């Protein structure tokens, strides 16, 4: 396989994802085995935290640092926007203000059509993921999960596909892989929606920190809602629940359309 060939790029797109989840699976089995042998209780949240930490420790030096360097060099040569660096404060604010309502409308979509009823594994997964203390859940899903997943999907997969095939394939491929590897219908549908939005933000700002913060903001709302149930269909009533969902979706849609329109103009200027 020749470096730079089509086969090479395909391998380098899928290999980090497969390696990350293979490592997480092996670590998960090891943690369960050690816990059983020692009699130490390990919650699903703590096990997930350990698995993500080890997975990130593997893919970060092997793939991300190299892809980051290659993307920056390509970006400096091909695009008019600098990649990386410290995030723009305005971008941070917009990211938070976009992904919190995106989380609202995404969860509302799942609940209103009762998507969990068509996914046998979702209930068990949710119970396992949210079985730790609030501190562990915040650490795992607000800090570590966005860091690991955005480095993998936007920092490695998106950047590689973006360089080779372009923006749209980069956004779609990273979103699809992000969705597929969540392994159940509920999380897959939600992750596909969020993955497309994260890809748009990654291309617009050319900054991994922006999407990590946005992802973390969405997960923060999910964790707090799971613990305290303030955005609940039964508690709020159908009208208010759907009203918030539609308002959230409208806000996200407007932001996405504006960003895509600006991106098209930027790319048209570059192509000329």
């Amino acid at each position: 396989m020749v470096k730079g060939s089509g086969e090479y790029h395909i391998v380098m797109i899928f290999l980090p994802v497969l390696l990350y989840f293979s490592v997480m699976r092996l670590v998960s089995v090891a943690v369960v085995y050690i816990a059983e042998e020692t009699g130490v209780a390990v919650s699903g949240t703590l096990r997930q935290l350990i698995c993500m930490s080890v997975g990130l420790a593997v893919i970060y030096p092997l793939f991300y640092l190299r892809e980051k360097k290659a993307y920056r060099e390509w970006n400096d040569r091909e695009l008019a926007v600098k990649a990386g660096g410290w995030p723009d404060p305005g971008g941070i604010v917009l990211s938070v203000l976009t992904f919190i309502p995106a989380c609202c409308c995404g969860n509302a979509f799942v609940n209103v059509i009762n998507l969990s009823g068509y996914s046998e594994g979702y209930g068990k997964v949710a119970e396992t993921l949210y079985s730790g203390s609030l501190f562990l859940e915040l650490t795992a899903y607000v800090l570590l999960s966005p860091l690991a997943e955005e480095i993998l999907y936007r920092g490695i997969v998106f950047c590689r596909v973006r360089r080779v095939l372009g923006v749209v394939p980069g956004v779609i491929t990273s979103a699809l892989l992000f969705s597929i590897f969540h392994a159940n219908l509920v999380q897959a549908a939600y992750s596909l929606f969020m993955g497309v939005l994260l890809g748009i933000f990654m291309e617009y700002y050319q900054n991994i920190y922006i999407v990590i913060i946005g992802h973390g903001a969405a997960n923060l709302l999910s964790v707090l809602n799971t613990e305290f149930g303030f955005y609940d269909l039964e508690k709020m009533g159908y009208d208010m629940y759907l009203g918030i969902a539609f308002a959230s979706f409208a806000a996200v849609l407007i932001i996405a359309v504006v960003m895509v329109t600006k991106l098209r103009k930027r790319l048209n200027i570059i192509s000329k």
Side-chain angles (χ1 to χ4, degrees):
M1 182 171 58
V2 180
K3 185 175 181 179
S5 65
E7 293 85 355
Y8 173 81
H9 287 302
I10 290 173
V11 170
M12 293 304 291
I13 288 166
F14 290 99
L15 181 60
V17 180
L18 294 173
L19 180 61
Y20 176 76
F21 282 98
S22 297
V23 168
M24 284 188 64
R25 181 59 181 167
L26 289 173
V27 173
S28 178
V29 171
V31 169
V32 171
Y33 175 77
I34 293 171
E36 290 177 349
E37 289 296 311
T38 59
V40 176
V42 177
S43 68
T45 307
L46 180 57
R47 186 169 78 244
Q48 190 76 357
L49 182 62
I50 295 170
C51 292
M52 288 188 295
S53 300
V54 178
L56 178 60
V58 171
I59 64 165
Y60 187 87
L62 287 180
F63 297 101
Y64 177 65
L65 291 178
R66 180 169 56 181
E67 185 57 48
K68 179 182 177 182
K69 181 175 182 293
Y71 188 74
R72 279 186 173 179
E73 290 175 351
W74 173 85
N75 210 50
D76 290 343
R77 186 173 66 251
E78 302 290 340
L79 300 181
V81 181
K82 282 280 186 182
W86 291 104
D88 171 41
I92 293 175
V93 173
L94 183 61
S95 182
V96 171
L97 294 179
T98 300
F99 285 98
I100 286 179
C103 176
C104 286
C105 60
N107 279 304
F109 169 76
V110 167
N111 291 330
V112 168
I113 67 172
N114 192 29
L115 200 59
S116 58
Y118 302 96
S119 179
E120 295 181 1
Y122 173 69
K124 185 177 180 181
V125 169
E127 185 178 343
T128 301
L129 292 178
Y130 295 101
S131 59
S133 65
L134 179 60
F135 174 77
L136 273 181
E137 289 176 5
L138 291 173
T139 304
Y141 306 128
V142 179
L143 298 178
L144 189 59
S145 177
L147 179 65
E149 291 183 347
E150 291 314 311
I151 282 177
L152 177 61
Y153 292 109
R154 257 57 64 178
I156 299 174
V157 174
F158 170 82
C159 288
R160 168 74 57 169
V161 180
R162 170 70 176 94
R163 286 193 295 118
V164 178
L165 298 176
V167 180
V168 176
V171 171
I172 292 175
T173 303
S174 59
L176 281 174
L177 289 177
F178 183 50
S179 171
I180 290 168
F181 279 90
H182 275 83
N184 64 77
L185 184 59
V186 174
Q187 288 182 303
Y190 175 82
S191 298
L192 182 61
F193 165 63
M194 296 295 281
V196 171
L197 198 56
L198 287 161
I200 292 171
F201 266 77
M202 182 65 184
E203 175 63 23
Y204 189 85
Y205 285 104
Q206 297 290 316
N207 193 291
I208 192 71
Y209 301 112
I210 294 287
V211 291
I212 290 172
I213 291 168
H215 191 155
N219 283 9
L220 174 62
L221 183 63
S222 288
V223 169
L224 295 179
N225 191 46
T226 300
E227 291 294 327
F228 304 110
F230 49 81
Y231 185 55
D232 183 83
L233 179 59
E234 294 183 1
K235 291 181 180 179
M236 299 178 70
Y238 208 77
D239 291 341
M240 181 177 290
Y241 187 81
L242 280 186
I244 293 174
F246 279 121
S248 298
F249 180 73
V252 171
L253 183 62
I254 291 170
I255 291 169
V257 169
V258 170
M259 293 179 78
V260 169
T261 302
K262 289 184 176 182
L263 279 173
R264 290 183 65 182
K265 290 179 180 178
R266 178 199 299 173
L267 295 171
N268 286 336
I269 291 172
I270 294 169
S271 64
K272 293 177 181 178

